[in-house]
Amino acid sequence: MSEDDTEIKTTEKNSESLLQTISDAEVSSRISFEEFTDERILISHDAFGKKQMKIKILEVSDETPVLKWKFGDRVKVTKILVTVKHLTTQQVEEAEFDIESIERELAEKRHYTSTNRWIPVEDIKNGYVVGSKHTRLISDASALDYIVF
């Protein structure tokens, strides 16, 4: 047996032993490429670039969407958790908002509402709303000065 053959067999044994040390729990805890979500798409920034915001969905309505054939699968969001990070001070603020009650309050006080709580299912990643849909969820809370962003 040549030196190259010995080296190849040693490498094969090492790779086999490495494969055997990985437990089933570790393998099942890994996410696939399709499930991976880049954190950057979940974050929106204010106009001056001094704040970042993430919105986590806490509760959705069981209401069925109208015109599913036209707009696709959507869910009606009722409660969210908003996390705002101030980039200059690294301070983090969190607040829970009941969008449904804020929408009713704005309709009573100002006789209009601008919230579109229907979010496409593909715009929800790991329980968070993608950054491009943040404005539609916080518009009424912003109009009532519950949130300044």
Side-chain angles (χ1 to χ4, degrees), residues 36-45 53-57 75 77 80-81 118-138:
F36 174 74
T37 303
D38 189 5
E39 188 78 12
R40 293 175 291 184
I41 66 167
L42 303 177
I43 296 173
S44 62
H45 300 273
M53 178 172 42
K54 273 177 80 171
I55 296 179
K56 182 174 179 129
I57 297 176
V75 293
V77 179
I80 58 173
L81 177 69
W118 289 100
I119 301 292
V121 174
E122 60 269 1
D123 289 338
I124 300 170
K125 309 286 184 191
N126 300 333
Y128 288 90
V129 180
V130 296
S132 61
K133 304 294 183 202
H134 287 178
T135 324
R136 73 173 19 179
L137 287 175
I138 65 161

PDB file of all heavy atoms in Angstrom, residues 36-45 53-57 75 77 80-81 118-138:
ATOM      1  N   PHE A  36     -34.391  30.019   5.686  1.00  0.00           N
ATOM      2  CA  PHE A  36     -33.499  31.058   6.172  1.00  0.00           C
ATOM      3  C   PHE A  36     -34.033  32.439   5.801  1.00  0.00           C
ATOM      4  O   PHE A  36     -34.487  32.671   4.695  1.00  0.00           O
ATOM      5  CB  PHE A  36     -32.095  30.887   5.572  1.00  0.00           C
ATOM      6  CG  PHE A  36     -31.162  32.005   5.927  1.00  0.00           C
ATOM      7  CD1 PHE A  36     -30.634  32.095   7.195  1.00  0.00           C
ATOM      8  CD2 PHE A  36     -30.853  32.986   5.008  1.00  0.00           C
ATOM      9  CE1 PHE A  36     -29.785  33.135   7.541  1.00  0.00           C
ATOM     10  CE2 PHE A  36     -30.001  34.023   5.326  1.00  0.00           C
ATOM     11  CZ  PHE A  36     -29.472  34.097   6.606  1.00  0.00           C
ATOM     12  N   THR A  37     -34.019  33.348   6.766  1.00  0.00           N
ATOM     13  CA  THR A  37     -34.475  34.716   6.537  1.00  0.00           C
ATOM     14  C   THR A  37     -33.362  35.670   6.903  1.00  0.00           C
ATOM     15  O   THR A  37     -32.843  35.631   8.012  1.00  0.00           O
ATOM     16  CB  THR A  37     -35.710  35.026   7.413  1.00  0.00           C
ATOM     17  OG1 THR A  37     -36.720  34.067   7.119  1.00  0.00           O
ATOM     18  CG2 THR A  37     -36.225  36.407   7.138  1.00  0.00           C
ATOM     19  N   ASP A  38     -33.019  36.533   5.970  1.00  0.00           N
ATOM     20  CA  ASP A  38     -32.016  37.559   6.217  1.00  0.00           C
ATOM     21  C   ASP A  38     -32.632  38.622   7.121  1.00  0.00           C
ATOM     22  O   ASP A  38     -33.707  39.148   6.834  1.00  0.00           O
ATOM     23  CB  ASP A  38     -31.559  38.171   4.899  1.00  0.00           C
ATOM     24  CG  ASP A  38     -30.361  39.084   5.063  1.00  0.00           C
ATOM     25  OD1 ASP A  38     -29.833  39.174   6.188  1.00  0.00           O
ATOM     26  OD2 ASP A  38     -29.955  39.701   4.067  1.00  0.00           O
ATOM     27  N   GLU A  39     -31.980  38.931   8.198  1.00  0.00           N
ATOM     28  CA  GLU A  39     -32.467  39.883   9.192  1.00  0.00           C
ATOM     29  C   GLU A  39     -32.737  41.264   8.583  1.00  0.00           C
ATOM     30  O   GLU A  39     -33.620  41.984   9.024  1.00  0.00           O
ATOM     31  CB  GLU A  39     -31.428  39.992  10.320  1.00  0.00           C
ATOM     32  CG  GLU A  39     -31.855  40.789  11.506  1.00  0.00           C
ATOM     33  CD  GLU A  39     -32.789  40.048  12.436  1.00  0.00           C
ATOM     34  OE1 GLU A  39     -32.954  38.830  12.299  1.00  0.00           O
ATOM     35  OE2 GLU A  39     -33.368  40.701  13.310  1.00  0.00           O
ATOM     36  N   ARG A  40     -32.001  41.617   7.558  1.00  0.00           N
ATOM     37  CA  ARG A  40     -32.124  42.956   6.969  1.00  0.00           C
ATOM     38  C   ARG A  40     -33.484  43.215   6.345  1.00  0.00           C
ATOM     39  O   ARG A  40     -33.935  44.356   6.315  1.00  0.00           O
ATOM     40  CB  ARG A  40     -31.030  43.186   5.940  1.00  0.00           C
ATOM     41  CG  ARG A  40     -29.640  43.251   6.573  1.00  0.00           C
ATOM     42  CD  ARG A  40     -28.588  43.361   5.533  1.00  0.00           C
ATOM     43  NE  ARG A  40     -28.531  42.085   4.814  1.00  0.00           N
ATOM     44  CZ  ARG A  40     -27.669  41.782   3.880  1.00  0.00           C
ATOM     45  NH1 ARG A  40     -26.798  42.677   3.489  1.00  0.00           N
ATOM     46  NH2 ARG A  40     -27.664  40.601   3.297  1.00  0.00           N
ATOM     47  N   ILE A  41     -34.161  42.180   5.845  1.00  0.00           N
ATOM     48  CA  ILE A  41     -35.468  42.415   5.229  1.00  0.00           C
ATOM     49  C   ILE A  41     -36.561  42.632   6.271  1.00  0.00           C
ATOM     50  O   ILE A  41     -37.636  43.111   5.946  1.00  0.00           O
ATOM     51  CB  ILE A  41     -35.882  41.288   4.257  1.00  0.00           C
ATOM     52  CG1 ILE A  41     -36.111  39.977   4.988  1.00  0.00           C
ATOM     53  CG2 ILE A  41     -34.910  41.143   3.137  1.00  0.00           C
ATOM     54  CD1 ILE A  41     -36.802  38.935   4.146  1.00  0.00           C
ATOM     55  N   LEU A  42     -36.290  42.307   7.529  1.00  0.00           N
ATOM     56  CA  LEU A  42     -37.275  42.478   8.598  1.00  0.00           C
ATOM     57  C   LEU A  42     -37.189  43.848   9.253  1.00  0.00           C
ATOM     58  O   LEU A  42     -38.033  44.197  10.071  1.00  0.00           O
ATOM     59  CB  LEU A  42     -37.082  41.399   9.668  1.00  0.00           C
ATOM     60  CG  LEU A  42     -37.153  39.954   9.195  1.00  0.00           C
ATOM     61  CD1 LEU A  42     -36.879  39.017  10.356  1.00  0.00           C
ATOM     62  CD2 LEU A  42     -38.477  39.652   8.545  1.00  0.00           C
ATOM     63  N   ILE A  43     -36.183  44.626   8.913  1.00  0.00           N
ATOM     64  CA  ILE A  43     -35.926  45.903   9.582  1.00  0.00           C
ATOM     65  C   ILE A  43     -36.254  47.055   8.648  1.00  0.00           C
ATOM     66  O   ILE A  43     -35.914  47.031   7.470  1.00  0.00           O
ATOM     67  CB  ILE A  43     -34.451  45.983  10.024  1.00  0.00           C
ATOM     68  CG1 ILE A  43     -34.164  44.909  11.075  1.00  0.00           C
ATOM     69  CG2 ILE A  43     -34.113  47.362  10.567  1.00  0.00           C
ATOM     70  CD1 ILE A  43     -32.710  44.790  11.454  1.00  0.00           C
ATOM     71  N   SER A  44     -36.922  48.079   9.201  1.00  0.00           N
ATOM     72  CA  SER A  44     -37.125  49.316   8.449  1.00  0.00           C
ATOM     73  C   SER A  44     -36.396  50.436   9.189  1.00  0.00           C
ATOM     74  O   SER A  44     -36.140  50.344  10.385  1.00  0.00           O
ATOM     75  CB  SER A  44     -38.611  49.635   8.304  1.00  0.00           C
ATOM     76  OG  SER A  44     -39.209  49.826   9.557  1.00  0.00           O
ATOM     77  N   HIS A  45     -36.052  51.486   8.471  1.00  0.00           N
ATOM     78  CA  HIS A  45     -35.297  52.608   9.029  1.00  0.00           C
ATOM     79  C   HIS A  45     -36.119  53.885   8.930  1.00  0.00           C
ATOM     80  O   HIS A  45     -36.927  54.035   8.016  1.00  0.00           O
ATOM     81  CB  HIS A  45     -33.977  52.803   8.266  1.00  0.00           C
ATOM     82  CG  HIS A  45     -33.081  51.616   8.325  1.00  0.00           C
ATOM     83  ND1 HIS A  45     -32.182  51.412   9.339  1.00  0.00           N
ATOM     84  CD2 HIS A  45     -32.946  50.547   7.511  1.00  0.00           C
ATOM     85  CE1 HIS A  45     -31.542  50.279   9.149  1.00  0.00           C
ATOM     86  NE2 HIS A  45     -31.993  49.726   8.038  1.00  0.00           N
ATOM     87  N   MET A  53     -36.606  49.606  13.099  1.00  0.00           N
ATOM     88  CA  MET A  53     -37.829  49.048  13.659  1.00  0.00           C
ATOM     89  C   MET A  53     -38.044  47.630  13.144  1.00  0.00           C
ATOM     90  O   MET A  53     -37.775  47.324  11.983  1.00  0.00           O
ATOM     91  CB  MET A  53     -39.032  49.898  13.266  1.00  0.00           C
ATOM     92  CG  MET A  53     -40.336  49.356  13.777  1.00  0.00           C
ATOM     93  SD  MET A  53     -41.792  50.411  13.563  1.00  0.00           S
ATOM     94  CE  MET A  53     -41.627  51.066  11.961  1.00  0.00           C
ATOM     95  N   LYS A  54     -38.520  46.772  14.049  1.00  0.00           N
ATOM     96  CA  LYS A  54     -38.945  45.416  13.717  1.00  0.00           C
ATOM     97  C   LYS A  54     -40.340  45.237  14.283  1.00  0.00           C
ATOM     98  O   LYS A  54     -40.638  45.721  15.373  1.00  0.00           O
ATOM     99  CB  LYS A  54     -38.026  44.370  14.352  1.00  0.00           C
ATOM    100  CG  LYS A  54     -36.816  44.030  13.535  1.00  0.00           C
ATOM    101  CD  LYS A  54     -35.916  43.056  14.248  1.00  0.00           C
ATOM    102  CE  LYS A  54     -36.406  41.651  14.136  1.00  0.00           C
ATOM    103  NZ  LYS A  54     -35.416  40.672  14.653  1.00  0.00           N
ATOM    104  N   ILE A  55     -41.188  44.531  13.557  1.00  0.00           N
ATOM    105  CA  ILE A  55     -42.549  44.278  14.017  1.00  0.00           C
ATOM    106  C   ILE A  55     -42.790  42.777  14.048  1.00  0.00           C
ATOM    107  O   ILE A  55     -42.654  42.090  13.030  1.00  0.00           O
ATOM    108  CB  ILE A  55     -43.586  44.961  13.106  1.00  0.00           C
ATOM    109  CG1 ILE A  55     -43.416  46.478  13.171  1.00  0.00           C
ATOM    110  CG2 ILE A  55     -44.995  44.557  13.514  1.00  0.00           C
ATOM    111  CD1 ILE A  55     -44.373  47.248  12.292  1.00  0.00           C
ATOM    112  N   LYS A  56     -43.164  42.290  15.232  1.00  0.00           N
ATOM    113  CA  LYS A  56     -43.501  40.874  15.405  1.00  0.00           C
ATOM    114  C   LYS A  56     -45.015  40.759  15.542  1.00  0.00           C
ATOM    115  O   LYS A  56     -45.642  41.543  16.259  1.00  0.00           O
ATOM    116  CB  LYS A  56     -42.831  40.310  16.651  1.00  0.00           C
ATOM    117  CG  LYS A  56     -43.119  38.844  16.847  1.00  0.00           C
ATOM    118  CD  LYS A  56     -42.335  38.261  17.981  1.00  0.00           C
ATOM    119  CE  LYS A  56     -42.714  36.815  18.115  1.00  0.00           C
ATOM    120  NZ  LYS A  56     -41.603  35.932  18.152  1.00  0.00           N
ATOM    121  N   ILE A  57     -45.581  39.801  14.857  1.00  0.00           N
ATOM    122  CA  ILE A  57     -47.025  39.574  14.929  1.00  0.00           C
ATOM    123  C   ILE A  57     -47.327  38.741  16.163  1.00  0.00           C
ATOM    124  O   ILE A  57     -46.764  37.662  16.350  1.00  0.00           O
ATOM    125  CB  ILE A  57     -47.532  38.869  13.667  1.00  0.00           C
ATOM    126  CG1 ILE A  57     -47.313  39.758  12.452  1.00  0.00           C
ATOM    127  CG2 ILE A  57     -48.994  38.494  13.808  1.00  0.00           C
ATOM    128  CD1 ILE A  57     -47.694  39.127  11.143  1.00  0.00           C
ATOM    129  N   VAL A  75     -53.397  37.449   5.874  1.00  0.00           N
ATOM    130  CA  VAL A  75     -53.925  37.342   7.231  1.00  0.00           C
ATOM    131  C   VAL A  75     -54.195  38.741   7.751  1.00  0.00           C
ATOM    132  O   VAL A  75     -53.519  39.702   7.387  1.00  0.00           O
ATOM    133  CB  VAL A  75     -52.967  36.596   8.189  1.00  0.00           C
ATOM    134  CG1 VAL A  75     -52.835  35.152   7.813  1.00  0.00           C
ATOM    135  CG2 VAL A  75     -51.617  37.251   8.251  1.00  0.00           C
ATOM    136  N   VAL A  77     -53.969  41.128  10.738  1.00  0.00           N
ATOM    137  CA  VAL A  77     -53.196  41.266  11.968  1.00  0.00           C
ATOM    138  C   VAL A  77     -53.989  42.095  12.973  1.00  0.00           C
ATOM    139  O   VAL A  77     -54.541  43.140  12.629  1.00  0.00           O
ATOM    140  CB  VAL A  77     -51.835  41.935  11.674  1.00  0.00           C
ATOM    141  CG1 VAL A  77     -51.034  42.114  12.938  1.00  0.00           C
ATOM    142  CG2 VAL A  77     -51.057  41.128  10.658  1.00  0.00           C
ATOM    143  N   ILE A  80     -49.571  43.524  17.511  1.00  0.00           N
ATOM    144  CA  ILE A  80     -48.164  43.471  17.105  1.00  0.00           C
ATOM    145  C   ILE A  80     -47.275  43.914  18.263  1.00  0.00           C
ATOM    146  O   ILE A  80     -47.729  44.601  19.181  1.00  0.00           O
ATOM    147  CB  ILE A  80     -47.883  44.362  15.876  1.00  0.00           C
ATOM    148  CG1 ILE A  80     -48.263  45.818  16.148  1.00  0.00           C
ATOM    149  CG2 ILE A  80     -48.561  43.826  14.646  1.00  0.00           C
ATOM    150  CD1 ILE A  80     -47.878  46.796  15.053  1.00  0.00           C
ATOM    151  N   LEU A  81     -46.023  43.520  18.198  1.00  0.00           N
ATOM    152  CA  LEU A  81     -44.999  43.977  19.127  1.00  0.00           C
ATOM    153  C   LEU A  81     -43.989  44.755  18.302  1.00  0.00           C
ATOM    154  O   LEU A  81     -43.375  44.210  17.390  1.00  0.00           O
ATOM    155  CB  LEU A  81     -44.313  42.801  19.826  1.00  0.00           C
ATOM    156  CG  LEU A  81     -43.177  43.162  20.774  1.00  0.00           C
ATOM    157  CD1 LEU A  81     -43.729  43.869  22.006  1.00  0.00           C
ATOM    158  CD2 LEU A  81     -42.402  41.931  21.173  1.00  0.00           C
ATOM    159  N   TRP A 118     -54.364  43.774   6.459  1.00  0.00           N
ATOM    160  CA  TRP A 118     -54.226  42.534   5.697  1.00  0.00           C
ATOM    161  C   TRP A 118     -52.806  42.432   5.153  1.00  0.00           C
ATOM    162  O   TRP A 118     -52.387  43.240   4.345  1.00  0.00           O
ATOM    163  CB  TRP A 118     -55.230  42.500   4.542  1.00  0.00           C
ATOM    164  CG  TRP A 118     -56.633  42.313   5.003  1.00  0.00           C
ATOM    165  CD1 TRP A 118     -57.563  43.291   5.148  1.00  0.00           C
ATOM    166  CD2 TRP A 118     -57.252  41.092   5.381  1.00  0.00           C
ATOM    167  NE1 TRP A 118     -58.741  42.744   5.597  1.00  0.00           N
ATOM    168  CE2 TRP A 118     -58.583  41.396   5.748  1.00  0.00           C
ATOM    169  CE3 TRP A 118     -56.820  39.775   5.458  1.00  0.00           C
ATOM    170  CZ2 TRP A 118     -59.474  40.420   6.172  1.00  0.00           C
ATOM    171  CZ3 TRP A 118     -57.712  38.812   5.876  1.00  0.00           C
ATOM    172  CH2 TRP A 118     -59.022  39.126   6.229  1.00  0.00           C
ATOM    173  N   ILE A 119     -52.071  41.450   5.631  1.00  0.00           N
ATOM    174  CA  ILE A 119     -50.670  41.260   5.234  1.00  0.00           C
ATOM    175  C   ILE A 119     -50.556  39.943   4.452  1.00  0.00           C
ATOM    176  O   ILE A 119     -51.030  38.907   4.922  1.00  0.00           O
ATOM    177  CB  ILE A 119     -49.746  41.206   6.468  1.00  0.00           C
ATOM    178  CG1 ILE A 119     -49.858  42.493   7.284  1.00  0.00           C
ATOM    179  CG2 ILE A 119     -48.307  40.929   6.079  1.00  0.00           C
ATOM    180  CD1 ILE A 119     -49.313  43.710   6.594  1.00  0.00           C
ATOM    181  N   PRO A 120     -49.925  39.974   3.281  1.00  0.00           N
ATOM    182  CA  PRO A 120     -49.702  38.718   2.550  1.00  0.00           C
ATOM    183  C   PRO A 120     -48.856  37.743   3.376  1.00  0.00           C
ATOM    184  O   PRO A 120     -47.915  38.140   4.060  1.00  0.00           O
ATOM    185  CB  PRO A 120     -48.936  39.165   1.299  1.00  0.00           C
ATOM    186  CG  PRO A 120     -49.253  40.615   1.149  1.00  0.00           C
ATOM    187  CD  PRO A 120     -49.446  41.134   2.547  1.00  0.00           C
ATOM    188  N   VAL A 121     -49.204  36.485   3.304  1.00  0.00           N
ATOM    189  CA  VAL A 121     -48.517  35.448   4.085  1.00  0.00           C
ATOM    190  C   VAL A 121     -47.036  35.393   3.733  1.00  0.00           C
ATOM    191  O   VAL A 121     -46.193  35.191   4.606  1.00  0.00           O
ATOM    192  CB  VAL A 121     -49.196  34.071   3.862  1.00  0.00           C
ATOM    193  CG1 VAL A 121     -48.421  32.955   4.538  1.00  0.00           C
ATOM    194  CG2 VAL A 121     -50.625  34.105   4.353  1.00  0.00           C
ATOM    195  N   GLU A 122     -46.685  35.625   2.477  1.00  0.00           N
ATOM    196  CA  GLU A 122     -45.274  35.559   2.088  1.00  0.00           C
ATOM    197  C   GLU A 122     -44.466  36.734   2.630  1.00  0.00           C
ATOM    198  O   GLU A 122     -43.236  36.712   2.574  1.00  0.00           O
ATOM    199  CB  GLU A 122     -45.109  35.445   0.567  1.00  0.00           C
ATOM    200  CG  GLU A 122     -45.684  36.579  -0.226  1.00  0.00           C
ATOM    201  CD  GLU A 122     -47.131  36.365  -0.663  1.00  0.00           C
ATOM    202  OE1 GLU A 122     -47.720  35.319  -0.321  1.00  0.00           O
ATOM    203  OE2 GLU A 122     -47.664  37.244  -1.323  1.00  0.00           O
ATOM    204  N   ASP A 123     -45.127  37.775   3.172  1.00  0.00           N
ATOM    205  CA  ASP A 123     -44.430  38.909   3.777  1.00  0.00           C
ATOM    206  C   ASP A 123     -44.234  38.741   5.282  1.00  0.00           C
ATOM    207  O   ASP A 123     -43.852  39.679   5.974  1.00  0.00           O
ATOM    208  CB  ASP A 123     -45.175  40.213   3.495  1.00  0.00           C
ATOM    209  CG  ASP A 123     -45.061  40.635   2.046  1.00  0.00           C
ATOM    210  OD1 ASP A 123     -44.117  40.195   1.373  1.00  0.00           O
ATOM    211  OD2 ASP A 123     -45.920  41.402   1.581  1.00  0.00           O
ATOM    212  N   ILE A 124     -44.514  37.553   5.780  1.00  0.00           N
ATOM    213  CA  ILE A 124     -44.307  37.232   7.193  1.00  0.00           C
ATOM    214  C   ILE A 124     -43.223  36.161   7.250  1.00  0.00           C
ATOM    215  O   ILE A 124     -43.371  35.077   6.696  1.00  0.00           O
ATOM    216  CB  ILE A 124     -45.601  36.733   7.854  1.00  0.00           C
ATOM    217  CG1 ILE A 124     -46.676  37.812   7.761  1.00  0.00           C
ATOM    218  CG2 ILE A 124     -45.336  36.335   9.299  1.00  0.00           C
ATOM    219  CD1 ILE A 124     -48.047  37.339   8.175  1.00  0.00           C
ATOM    220  N   LYS A 125     -42.124  36.497   7.923  1.00  0.00           N
ATOM    221  CA  LYS A 125     -40.984  35.583   8.027  1.00  0.00           C
ATOM    222  C   LYS A 125     -40.669  35.342   9.495  1.00  0.00           C
ATOM    223  O   LYS A 125     -40.377  36.278  10.229  1.00  0.00           O
ATOM    224  CB  LYS A 125     -39.732  36.176   7.356  1.00  0.00           C
ATOM    225  CG  LYS A 125     -39.942  36.672   5.951  1.00  0.00           C
ATOM    226  CD  LYS A 125     -40.056  35.544   4.981  1.00  0.00           C
ATOM    227  CE  LYS A 125     -40.163  36.104   3.570  1.00  0.00           C
ATOM    228  NZ  LYS A 125     -40.531  35.112   2.613  1.00  0.00           N
ATOM    229  N   ASN A 126     -40.768  34.093   9.932  1.00  0.00           N
ATOM    230  CA  ASN A 126     -40.473  33.708  11.320  1.00  0.00           C
ATOM    231  C   ASN A 126     -41.274  34.528  12.332  1.00  0.00           C
ATOM    232  O   ASN A 126     -40.779  34.859  13.400  1.00  0.00           O
ATOM    233  CB  ASN A 126     -38.976  33.830  11.617  1.00  0.00           C
ATOM    234  CG  ASN A 126     -38.142  32.948  10.733  1.00  0.00           C
ATOM    235  OD1 ASN A 126     -38.597  31.915  10.263  1.00  0.00           O
ATOM    236  ND2 ASN A 126     -36.915  33.348  10.497  1.00  0.00           N
ATOM    237  N   GLY A 127     -42.495  34.890  11.999  1.00  0.00           N
ATOM    238  CA  GLY A 127     -43.350  35.648  12.908  1.00  0.00           C
ATOM    239  C   GLY A 127     -43.164  37.149  12.823  1.00  0.00           C
ATOM    240  O   GLY A 127     -43.849  37.901  13.497  1.00  0.00           O
ATOM    241  N   TYR A 128     -42.244  37.627  11.999  1.00  0.00           N
ATOM    242  CA  TYR A 128     -41.988  39.056  11.828  1.00  0.00           C
ATOM    243  C   TYR A 128     -42.479  39.511  10.462  1.00  0.00           C
ATOM    244  O   TYR A 128     -42.428  38.761   9.486  1.00  0.00           O
ATOM    245  CB  TYR A 128     -40.490  39.363  11.949  1.00  0.00           C
ATOM    246  CG  TYR A 128     -39.961  39.246  13.351  1.00  0.00           C
ATOM    247  CD1 TYR A 128     -39.463  38.040  13.823  1.00  0.00           C
ATOM    248  CD2 TYR A 128     -39.971  40.333  14.207  1.00  0.00           C
ATOM    249  CE1 TYR A 128     -38.975  37.926  15.121  1.00  0.00           C
ATOM    250  CE2 TYR A 128     -39.482  40.235  15.503  1.00  0.00           C
ATOM    251  CZ  TYR A 128     -38.999  39.023  15.946  1.00  0.00           C
ATOM    252  OH  TYR A 128     -38.531  38.919  17.232  1.00  0.00           O
ATOM    253  N   VAL A 129     -42.909  40.768  10.387  1.00  0.00           N
ATOM    254  CA  VAL A 129     -43.366  41.361   9.136  1.00  0.00           C
ATOM    255  C   VAL A 129     -42.162  41.965   8.427  1.00  0.00           C
ATOM    256  O   VAL A 129     -41.325  42.613   9.071  1.00  0.00           O
ATOM    257  CB  VAL A 129     -44.421  42.460   9.416  1.00  0.00           C
ATOM    258  CG1 VAL A 129     -44.902  43.094   8.128  1.00  0.00           C
ATOM    259  CG2 VAL A 129     -45.580  41.890  10.200  1.00  0.00           C
ATOM    260  N   VAL A 130     -42.079  41.791   7.111  1.00  0.00           N
ATOM    261  CA  VAL A 130     -40.973  42.385   6.364  1.00  0.00           C
ATOM    262  C   VAL A 130     -41.063  43.906   6.428  1.00  0.00           C
ATOM    263  O   VAL A 130     -42.139  44.480   6.563  1.00  0.00           O
ATOM    264  CB  VAL A 130     -40.926  41.903   4.894  1.00  0.00           C
ATOM    265  CG1 VAL A 130     -40.658  40.420   4.809  1.00  0.00           C
ATOM    266  CG2 VAL A 130     -42.174  42.256   4.150  1.00  0.00           C
ATOM    267  N   GLY A 131     -39.921  44.557   6.356  1.00  0.00           N
ATOM    268  CA  GLY A 131     -39.830  46.001   6.548  1.00  0.00           C
ATOM    269  C   GLY A 131     -40.676  46.825   5.607  1.00  0.00           C
ATOM    270  O   GLY A 131     -41.147  47.906   5.966  1.00  0.00           O
ATOM    271  N   SER A 132     -40.921  46.350   4.400  1.00  0.00           N
ATOM    272  CA  SER A 132     -41.712  47.116   3.435  1.00  0.00           C
ATOM    273  C   SER A 132     -43.181  47.225   3.821  1.00  0.00           C
ATOM    274  O   SER A 132     -43.905  48.064   3.285  1.00  0.00           O
ATOM    275  CB  SER A 132     -41.580  46.494   2.048  1.00  0.00           C
ATOM    276  OG  SER A 132     -42.062  45.168   2.058  1.00  0.00           O
ATOM    277  N   LYS A 133     -43.645  46.421   4.753  1.00  0.00           N
ATOM    278  CA  LYS A 133     -45.052  46.442   5.184  1.00  0.00           C
ATOM    279  C   LYS A 133     -45.255  47.112   6.545  1.00  0.00           C
ATOM    280  O   LYS A 133     -46.364  47.152   7.063  1.00  0.00           O
ATOM    281  CB  LYS A 133     -45.614  45.015   5.245  1.00  0.00           C
ATOM    282  CG  LYS A 133     -45.492  44.249   3.959  1.00  0.00           C
ATOM    283  CD  LYS A 133     -46.327  44.850   2.866  1.00  0.00           C
ATOM    284  CE  LYS A 133     -46.210  43.999   1.621  1.00  0.00           C
ATOM    285  NZ  LYS A 133     -46.528  44.694   0.418  1.00  0.00           N
ATOM    286  N   HIS A 134     -44.208  47.651   7.146  1.00  0.00           N
ATOM    287  CA  HIS A 134     -44.314  48.256   8.469  1.00  0.00           C
ATOM    288  C   HIS A 134     -45.243  49.462   8.486  1.00  0.00           C
ATOM    289  O   HIS A 134     -46.051  49.625   9.396  1.00  0.00           O
ATOM    290  CB  HIS A 134     -42.937  48.668   8.989  1.00  0.00           C
ATOM    291  CG  HIS A 134     -42.097  47.502   9.405  1.00  0.00           C
ATOM    292  ND1 HIS A 134     -40.817  47.639   9.871  1.00  0.00           N
ATOM    293  CD2 HIS A 134     -42.350  46.166   9.421  1.00  0.00           C
ATOM    294  CE1 HIS A 134     -40.322  46.448  10.163  1.00  0.00           C
ATOM    295  NE2 HIS A 134     -41.232  45.545   9.886  1.00  0.00           N
ATOM    296  N   THR A 135     -45.144  50.322   7.492  1.00  0.00           N
ATOM    297  CA  THR A 135     -45.929  51.559   7.491  1.00  0.00           C
ATOM    298  C   THR A 135     -47.419  51.274   7.483  1.00  0.00           C
ATOM    299  O   THR A 135     -48.183  51.975   8.143  1.00  0.00           O
ATOM    300  CB  THR A 135     -45.588  52.416   6.249  1.00  0.00           C
ATOM    301  OG1 THR A 135     -44.219  52.278   5.956  1.00  0.00           O
ATOM    302  CG2 THR A 135     -45.877  53.862   6.513  1.00  0.00           C
ATOM    303  N   ARG A 136     -47.839  50.264   6.758  1.00  0.00           N
ATOM    304  CA  ARG A 136     -49.268  49.971   6.689  1.00  0.00           C
ATOM    305  C   ARG A 136     -49.805  49.507   8.044  1.00  0.00           C
ATOM    306  O   ARG A 136     -50.978  49.682   8.329  1.00  0.00           O
ATOM    307  CB  ARG A 136     -49.578  48.973   5.584  1.00  0.00           C
ATOM    308  CG  ARG A 136     -49.157  47.584   5.872  1.00  0.00           C
ATOM    309  CD  ARG A 136     -49.578  46.517   4.907  1.00  0.00           C
ATOM    310  NE  ARG A 136     -49.967  46.957   3.599  1.00  0.00           N
ATOM    311  CZ  ARG A 136     -50.352  46.138   2.638  1.00  0.00           C
ATOM    312  NH1 ARG A 136     -50.377  44.848   2.865  1.00  0.00           N
ATOM    313  NH2 ARG A 136     -50.691  46.584   1.466  1.00  0.00           N
ATOM    314  N   LEU A 137     -48.955  48.927   8.897  1.00  0.00           N
ATOM    315  CA  LEU A 137     -49.428  48.452  10.200  1.00  0.00           C
ATOM    316  C   LEU A 137     -49.399  49.534  11.288  1.00  0.00           C
ATOM    317  O   LEU A 137     -50.178  49.489  12.222  1.00  0.00           O
ATOM    318  CB  LEU A 137     -48.596  47.253  10.658  1.00  0.00           C
ATOM    319  CG  LEU A 137     -48.841  45.949   9.925  1.00  0.00           C
ATOM    320  CD1 LEU A 137     -47.870  44.885  10.389  1.00  0.00           C
ATOM    321  CD2 LEU A 137     -50.263  45.482  10.103  1.00  0.00           C
ATOM    322  N   ILE A 138     -48.492  50.494  11.180  1.00  0.00           N
ATOM    323  CA  ILE A 138     -48.364  51.490  12.257  1.00  0.00           C
ATOM    324  C   ILE A 138     -48.918  52.853  11.873  1.00  0.00           C
ATOM    325  O   ILE A 138     -48.785  53.799  12.640  1.00  0.00           O
ATOM    326  CB  ILE A 138     -46.900  51.651  12.707  1.00  0.00           C
ATOM    327  CG1 ILE A 138     -46.037  52.232  11.595  1.00  0.00           C
ATOM    328  CG2 ILE A 138     -46.350  50.358  13.250  1.00  0.00           C
ATOM    329  CD1 ILE A 138     -44.757  52.836  12.074  1.00  0.00           C
TER     330      ILE A 138
END
